[in-house]
Amino acid sequence: MAPPHLSSISHPFSSSPITNPNLNFTCRFPLPLRSQTLRFISNSSSSSSPPPPPSPPPPDPIPEKRSLAVATGELFLGLAARLIKRSSDQTSNSVSMFDNRTGNNRSVYEERIGAVVEDEIQPGVLWEQRVKDVEAERERPLVTSPGFSFSAAGLLFPYHLGVAKFLLENSYIKETTPLAGASAGAIVCAVIASGASMQEALQATKLLAEDCRSRGTAFRLGAVLREVLDKFLPDDVHIRCNGRVRVAVTQVFWRPRGLLVDQFDSKDDLIDAVFTSSFIPGYLAPRPVTVFRNRLCIDGGLTLFMPPTSASQTVRVCAFPASRLGFEGIGISPDCNPENRAGPRELFNWALEPAEDDILDKLFELGYEDAAVWGEDNPVEKLVEDEKHD
């Protein structure tokens, strides 16, 4: 399906129009510029003054102050790291649960779990798909391999946008390329499928970041994110995503289990899925869980940090240095271009509290550059191929 004509978006600090496939997208966050004041203290002394007394020993270093958003995120991600390392009691490769159902029980049947699969990158981590999600994938007659999976990244979202820009410009990603993502990775998948440009998405990200810098992030990011997505994404985005974009969420049972969703009933349903995939408890909203399709759920990155796509091969994109996380099999990450990079602590803070616009621009550029380095070793003519579904 061809993307709709793009309309203009007004930015409060720019007079140039920005186009977007959603005709209703307008700026909702006019914010005042913040001023900074520098104070200088002179330490000069007169030549006739007596020598100063010896300096007292330096006080103990003051612990680094962390915002509520960073503290909440650290608590959640610490829990996530523990749960990801726990191996599962089940080790099946794929458990099929299909049978032919018609009539009044059809909708109930479609909501049932259709497959349980162990993730190949994170051994011991199981993920599930409903019957309707598997069927949506089977309805796509042509799939282009490899698919691309985008990791959870928080507010490092511009890095993923930069990677996606390179992949789109160089035909690694086509309209038939399967996509998958968790948290911020799920958002970028929806943006790619919507037909919007990555530069437009970067400008929308700056609006969201500016709002959070001015008014706070913790407890309110979810409402801002939902409003930006509603204005930015076109009304038919769910149709573009069906059977193509896998959104990872974490179901909360006696132990967390991943659920991959790629069949969406409406634009609101898709936004609900992306919101759920990004739901860090107590961070996006002041509650421990969110409800998605009658299931208690939290952030998809907890169980599926880089979910697999429906293609036979998946290239995984990680916004953090993959070697630091202990992950293997990562295609594109800051490890592709390790020179002159921010440290892990700085990246982590930017993931939870929005950086200034110049940092967001730099993250976008670094994502593009890392993808270009990866592309040198993986030429498109040798990597990309079409697959037909039976």
Side-chain angles (χ1 to χ4, degrees):
M1 179 185 299
H5 292 292
L6 305 182
S7 62
S8 63
I9 165 179
S10 59
H11 190 282
F13 307 109
S14 173
S15 59
S16 59
I18 301 171
T19 56
N20 183 268
N22 187 346
L23 300 179
N24 297 320
F25 184 46
T26 56
C27 173
R28 297 288 297 278
F29 310 109
L31 298 171
L33 289 173
R34 297 181 295 169
S35 61
Q36 294 181 336
T37 303
L38 300 179
R39 294 187 299 168
F40 297 89
I41 300 176
S42 173
N43 61 359
S44 62
S45 60
S46 171
S47 59
S48 60
S49 300
S55 301
D60 294 334
I62 300 175
E64 179 184 359
K65 292 184 178 181
R66 297 176 300 168
S67 68
L68 178 61
V70 172
T72 302
E74 286 183 344
L75 178 63
F76 173 78
L77 294 178
L79 174 63
R82 290 176 176 271
L83 291 174
I84 287 175
K85 292 179 180 179
R86 293 176 58 186
S87 60
S88 172
D89 295 333
Q90 303 181 36
T91 58
S92 61
N93 290 327
S94 180
V95 180
S96 179
M97 303 179 184
F98 295 107
D99 62 333
N100 294 323
R101 301 286 180 94
T102 57
N104 295 332
N105 293 329
R106 178 65 182 176
S107 61
V108 176
Y109 164 67
E110 288 180 339
E111 290 295 326
R112 291 185 175 183
I113 299 302
V116 180
V117 182
E118 185 178 26
D119 189 77
E120 59 186 25
I121 296 296
Q122 299 168 250
V125 174
L126 298 181
W127 51 267
E128 302 175 341
Q129 280 186 291
R130 301 169 307 161
V131 171
K132 66 193 303 183
D133 296 310
V134 178
E135 290 180 346
E137 291 179 359
R138 290 181 171 178
E139 291 175 358
R140 296 183 68 87
L142 184 66
V143 169
T144 299
S145 182
F148 288 87
S149 173
F150 294 84
S151 74
L155 294 172
L156 299 179
F157 183 66
Y159 179 88
H160 281 336
L161 295 178
V163 172
K165 178 177 172 61
F166 174 86
L167 297 175
L168 288 165
E169 287 181 349
N170 293 275
S171 300
Y172 286 95
I173 292 182
K174 305 178 181 180
E175 290 188 0
T176 51
T177 300
L179 306 168
S183 194
I187 299 174
V188 75
C189 290
V191 170
I192 293 172
S194 76
S197 79
M198 299 304 104
Q199 196 68 43
E200 293 166 353
L202 177 62
Q203 296 304 320
T205 303
K206 290 180 179 179
L207 295 179
L208 181 147
E210 190 173 16
D211 180 272
C212 291
R213 288 196 299 264
S214 175
R215 305 176 187 178
T217 304
F219 301 161
R220 60 180 303 274
L221 176 59
V224 180
L225 174 63
R226 189 183 288 274
E227 185 170 8
V228 169
L229 290 174
D230 183 63
K231 296 296 182 182
F232 184 81
L233 296 174
D235 291 339
D236 66 343
V237 63
H238 61 292
I239 299 175
R240 299 166 183 253
C241 291
N242 277 344
R244 181 189 180 190
V245 173
R246 285 179 171 180
V247 175
V249 302
T250 297
Q251 304 171 94
V252 181
F253 295 125
W254 65 277
R255 70 179 306 159
R257 173 168 289 189
L259 177 68
L260 290 179
V261 181
D262 63 356
Q263 195 283 330
F264 311 98
D265 298 327
S266 64
K267 176 182 175 179
D268 287 341
D269 188 40
L270 172 69
I271 293 177
D272 286 344
V274 170
F275 175 87
T276 302
S277 183
S278 307
F279 191 87
I280 297 178
Y283 179 68
L284 254 68
R287 56 180 184 271
V289 296
T290 189
V291 178
F292 176 65
R293 296 179 178 173
N294 298 319
R295 293 177 170 91
L296 296 179
C297 299
I298 54 176
D299 192 294
L302 174 65
T303 50
L304 289 166
F305 195 72
M306 288 168 286
T309 70
S310 60
S312 61
Q313 298 182 34
T314 295
V315 175
R316 286 170 163 85
V317 181
C318 184
F320 300 94
S323 59
R324 299 289 185 93
L325 297 178
F327 287 134
E328 297 180 356
I330 308 303
I332 304 173
S333 80
D335 288 344
C336 293
N337 233 343
E339 298 297 327
N340 301 319
R341 293 299 182 124
R345 166 57 63 180
E346 198 167 22
L347 285 175
F348 183 79
N349 286 339
W350 289 340
L352 295 173
E353 285 280 22
E356 297 293 336
D357 285 359
D358 60 331
I359 299 297
L360 300 180
D361 288 332
K362 186 61 177 177
L363 289 170
F364 186 86
E365 294 172 7
L366 291 173
Y368 190 96
E369 292 171 2
D370 290 347
V373 171
W374 171 86
E376 291 176 359
D377 296 328
N378 298 274
V380 65
E381 62 273 9
K382 294 184 178 181
L383 184 67
V384 177
E385 60 181 4
D386 291 334
E387 303 172 345
K388 292 185 178 180
H389 278 181
D390 297 332

